[in-house]
Amino acid sequence: MALQLERATQQRAAILAAFREHPHPLLPADVHALASVHCPGLGIATVYRTIKVLLAEAVLETVNLPGESARYELKDRPHHHHFQCRACGRVFDVPGCPPSLAAYAPPGFAVDGHELTLYGRCAECLRG
Amino acid sequence: MALQLERATQQRAAILAAFREHPHPLLPADVHALASVHCPGLGIATVYRTIKVLLAEAVLETVNLPGESARYELKDRPHHHHFQCRACGRVFDVPGCPPSLAAYAPPGFAVDGHELTLYGRCAECLRG
DNA sequence: CACTTATTGATAATGCGTTATCGTTCTCAT
DNA sequence: ATGAGAACGATAACGCATTATCAATAAGTG
């Protein structure tokens, strides 16, 4: 037998810790930087490999924002949307969801999902 | 003197005609295919070059959808959002905009813009 | 019409995110 | 403790969208 990631490695633990400690959508490069603190020498290839497996296991989900490469976050939170700071580029989760979004589609179209991204300045960048 | 695109070429006319005849966000490859009908032999490099100039002239605007490369459309329509068909991949404009979107941001955050994308099946794909 | 040069088309080159390769290391069952 | 092979790190390779290069073409002027 032996599928993938059966073994509990330090790398996998560090990558999962990064997602748990930072409940924001993370770029693979973010994950690499954050997990490297717990696991020095971590390779970027391992980050990509592990993300792929965690997606297959439905532990992570992909967050695609307009004009950005894919981010990932833990798939343990209810439906929500995202806010991207124009200053620091970081992405934050925002709870809730506007009602009746499907009503905006043209007649005869079937809506089965949506993505909403808010833009502006995060509290930290407004202060600084 | 002589800036750029001072000359009225057939290529530029065909590219603008493609946008006027297809009021949807178009990929550079879409523009190339559509404009080639009016202008056989049109090169993809010319499409990219012309799009860049039309963006600088504020004739076109960029439409970034999650997980997709940039599309472009004429900058002559009021604020609106987009619908992408999961079957054919085409993108349609949808008029209107949900109210009070900024209220969803975390306290202390300043919202100055947003992007909304609806997903589903377009009328044509539902029929076929 | 002739000339100047902006513009073009073909294609090589680039940038960047992601994946494949491969020899080495580490996990875990025995 | 030992052996099999899963997982790793470094890096080459890849895919794709976009841009640069350059000789040839064509728009606009005199």
Side-chain angles (χ1 to χ4, degrees), chain B:
Chain B
M1 40 194 311
L3 297 176
Q4 277 186 299
L5 281 189
E6 289 182 291
R7 297 183 178 179
T9 65
Q10 297 186 332
Q11 288 83 352
R12 185 190 194 193
I15 289 168
L16 275 172
F19 282 109
R20 293 210 190 86
E21 295 166 8
H22 301 272
H24 307 297
L26 300 175
L27 295 167
D30 297 330
V31 177
H32 184 234
L34 293 168
S36 290
V37 174
H38 298 297
C39 184
L42 177 67
I44 188 65
T46 298
V47 172
Y48 277 100
R49 268 190 299 249
T50 304
I51 286 175
K52 183 180 287 189
V53 174
L54 293 175
L55 285 172
E57 293 175 351
V59 174
L60 292 180
E61 67 185 333
T62 302
V63 175
N64 278 307
L65 297 189
E68 306 266 316
S69 54
R71 288 175 165 79
Y72 305 93
E73 68 181 347
L74 288 176
K75 197 173 185 170
D76 61 356
R77 27 194 56 219
H79 181 70
H80 62 278
H81 293 292
H82 299 99
F83 175 102
Q84 184 168 37
C85 178
R86 295 197 199 270
C88 65
R90 281 184 298 178
V91 177
F92 303 85
D93 288 353
V94 305
C97 182
S100 311
L101 287 179
Y104 293 92
F109 282 42
V111 175
D112 64 13
H114 62 267
E115 287 291 343
L116 172 64
T117 308
L118 303 178
Y119 295 96
R121 303 262 166 171
C122 71
E124 189 175 322
C125 286
L126 281 174
R127 276 198 303 274

Side-chain angles (χ1 to χ4, degrees), chain A residues 84-102:
Chain A
Q84 183 167 39
C85 178
R86 295 196 199 270
C88 65
R90 281 185 298 178
V91 177
F92 303 84
D93 288 354
V94 305
C97 182
S100 311
L101 286 179

Side-chain angles (χ1 to χ4, degrees), chain A residues 45-98:
Chain A
T46 298
V47 173
Y48 278 101
R49 267 189 300 247
T50 305
I51 286 175
K52 184 180 287 189
V53 174
L54 293 175
L55 285 172
E57 294 175 352
V59 174
L60 292 181
E61 67 185 334
T62 302
V63 175
N64 278 308
L65 296 190
E68 306 268 315
S69 54
R71 288 173 165 81
Y72 305 92
E73 68 180 348
L74 289 175
K75 197 173 184 171
D76 62 354
R77 26 194 56 218
H79 181 69
H80 62 278
H81 293 291
H82 299 99
F83 174 101
Q84 183 167 39
C85 178
R86 295 196 199 270
C88 65
R90 281 185 298 178
V91 177
F92 303 84
D93 288 354
V94 305
C97 182

